[in-house]
Amino acid sequence: MLSIRMSASGPGRMTMEAMTMLDDILTLWLEERAEALDADAALAGALVPRLALAQIFKTGVPASAGGSGDKPSAAIGVVADLARYSMSAAFVFWAQRALIECVLASPNRALVQRLLPSLLAGELAGAPGLSNAMKFLGGLGQLQTRFTSDAHGFTLDGRVSWATNLQRQGFVLALAAGNQEGTDTSVFAVPSDADGLTREPDLDLTGLRGTSTAVLRLAGVRLGEDWQLHPQAKAFLPGIRPMFVGMQCGLGLGLARASLRAARAALDDGRSVLLGELEALEAQVRDLWEALSTGVDSGRLRERPPELLGLRMRMVEIATDAVQLELQALGGRAYLRGENGGFARRWCEAAFLPVVTPTLAQLKAEFARAQVTGTVG
């Protein structure tokens, strides 16, 4: 069962560092397997069932929909908690929970009722193949998938260049597709057993190899109207973006917390000069969490997209600075496999954060445009 342990840092204030929504059995499982989840795909099939056992896919989902009934930011907190132990586990949780968010936002209630219970229970893997769509929303590219429609439904063709949580035992994918004229866009759910859908072998990633990440190709995939998540992608995507991007921020927050904890443990008299930097970064992590959680829960970040983009960019900077500080605190031990306490993995994980879509370069471009025009796609 899910457990929450908190301690207050001041009157009425709970710190992110003092809160965990993971049970002790799961954290031990992750600690023992973090390196394996990062280095190979042997445990990929076990990851979703193991996370589901802790019932964390229900976090931030309304009780009326079968969830835990807590605030949306609680799901971001789970991403951050997982990232303290394993970025692979956090990224798979993000994918599953982002797909759940897509389903929750769909007006197709029959599809919601058909998919949601299995997704919440972890019996069905969820893959949000929306990276290309989020770039499209920001005016930074064209959709890679097209659809045609007739009296019987839709036909989809194209590719998804990067999708995570494509579990071999089955999954459902969310993607956005445009019509042939480029005048209309829709969002679809695509089951893994759909004719014409091909999952390529896992991408040859530097790390996070246990995340079941691959390319998908669609060639004449036929879907009925009952698989349409939303008829208008440009109306749908802005609504899910705060959670989609907000949970990505959890990846960096969790990594920063792990590196800062390791750095503090490594400090000695010779490196105490780093203490001021460490405390400053800890304060920045707290401030980012506060702005992110209150902004998502209040709905403010949906109304202020540039602020959301700014937090996402700040996340990358803070996580990178935290890992650099851990390196300085460890010194030569950082290069000793048996003594760096997972530093090498965290270093690689930090390098992953700027390239998660929306990438840091894309965020900078969209943020700059927003500063000029006052709008974000």
Side-chain angles (χ1 to χ4, degrees):
M1 288 292 293
L2 188 73
S3 64
I4 302 175
R5 301 186 297 278
M6 298 183 183
S7 63
S9 63
R13 180 181 176 86
M14 299 293 178
T15 71
M16 190 182 186
E17 290 80 2
M19 179 178 70
T20 180
M21 301 188 74
L22 309 182
D23 61 53
D24 293 336
I25 297 174
L26 176 57
T27 57
L28 179 61
W29 190 90
L30 292 170
E31 284 180 327
E32 292 176 344
R33 294 162 178 82
E35 298 298 331
L37 286 167
D38 186 65
D40 62 61
L43 290 173
L47 190 48
V48 170
R50 186 61 193 82
L51 296 177
L53 189 62
Q55 300 186 38
I56 54 177
F57 294 136
K58 299 180 179 181
T59 308
V61 175
S64 59
S68 57
D70 39 17
K71 293 180 178 180
S73 63
I76 302 174
V78 170
V79 176
D81 280 336
L82 290 168
R84 290 173 58 190
Y85 302 97
S86 165
M87 185 67 72
S88 296
F91 197 41
V92 165
F93 174 86
W94 169 83
Q96 183 83 6
R97 188 58 184 78
L99 196 283
I100 288 169
E101 199 69 19
C102 291
V103 172
L104 286 169
S106 174
N108 185 344
R109 303 319 296 172
L111 182 60
V112 174
Q113 293 171 14
R114 190 162 76 243
L115 295 179
L116 190 57
S118 296
L119 290 167
L120 291 174
E123 298 165 353
L124 176 65
L130 294 171
S131 295
N132 173 235
M134 289 296 178
K135 287 191 286 186
F136 169 75
L137 179 66
L140 299 172
Q142 297 298 313
L143 290 175
Q144 296 178 341
T145 306
R146 296 290 182 183
F147 75 86
T148 57
S149 59
D150 55 33
H152 303 289
F154 305 92
T155 301
L156 276 63
D157 293 276
R159 71 196 301 266
V160 177
S161 299
W162 177 296
T164 293
N165 204 23
L166 302 175
Q167 299 292 334
R168 298 286 184 177
Q169 55 267 46
F171 58 85
V172 62
L173 169 81
L175 62 80
N179 64 0
Q180 295 298 323
E181 296 76 24
T183 59
D184 196 11
T185 57
S186 290
V187 184
F188 300 93
V190 184
S192 57
D193 60 357
D195 290 340
L197 179 67
T198 301
R199 181 201 191 280
E200 296 193 352
D202 285 3
L203 292 170
D204 189 14
L205 303 177
T206 300
L208 282 78
R209 297 175 71 89
T211 58
S212 299
T213 299
V215 174
L216 291 168
R217 298 189 183 279
L218 300 92
V221 174
R222 292 285 300 165
L223 296 175
E225 291 184 355
D226 56 335
W227 285 101
Q228 188 179 51
L229 278 166
H230 199 284
Q232 293 295 328
K234 289 186 176 180
F236 179 77
L237 294 174
I240 66 167
R241 183 156 65 170
M243 281 296 288
F244 187 96
V245 175
M247 287 191 293
Q248 288 181 343
C249 290
L251 299 172
L253 286 170
L255 177 59
R257 290 166 65 196
S259 280
L260 293 175
R261 184 175 64 244
R264 184 175 283 279
L267 288 181
D268 54 30
D269 290 342
R271 296 185 178 88
S272 59
V273 67
L274 301 175
L275 185 59
E277 293 179 55
L278 181 107
E279 292 176 343
L281 278 171
E282 288 174 339
Q284 291 176 44
V285 169
R286 290 193 296 271
D287 291 345
L288 180 59
W289 166 248
E290 180 70 16
L292 181 65
S293 59
T294 58
V296 167
D297 290 339
S298 68
R300 186 183 73 245
L301 291 178
R302 178 173 181 173
E303 303 303 322
R304 301 180 185 177
E307 183 177 343
L308 176 64
L309 300 184
L311 292 173
R312 175 69 165 72
M313 290 189 290
R314 185 72 181 127
M315 173 273 288
V316 175
E317 181 180 348
I318 290 173
T320 301
D321 288 348
V323 175
Q324 288 279 359
L325 187 66
E326 182 186 359
L327 172 61
Q328 295 178 64
L330 287 172
R333 282 175 291 169
Y335 283 86
L336 298 176
R337 289 178 181 269
E339 297 184 30
N340 66 26
F343 167 77
R345 172 173 49 81
R346 287 190 288 277
W347 180 272
C348 185
E349 290 171 349
F352 171 67
L353 296 177
V355 300
V356 179
T357 302
T359 68
L360 188 58
Q362 291 162 359
L363 286 165
K364 288 178 178 178
E366 190 171 356
F367 190 77
R369 188 184 68 178
Q371 296 296 97
V372 172
T373 65
T375 62
V376 173

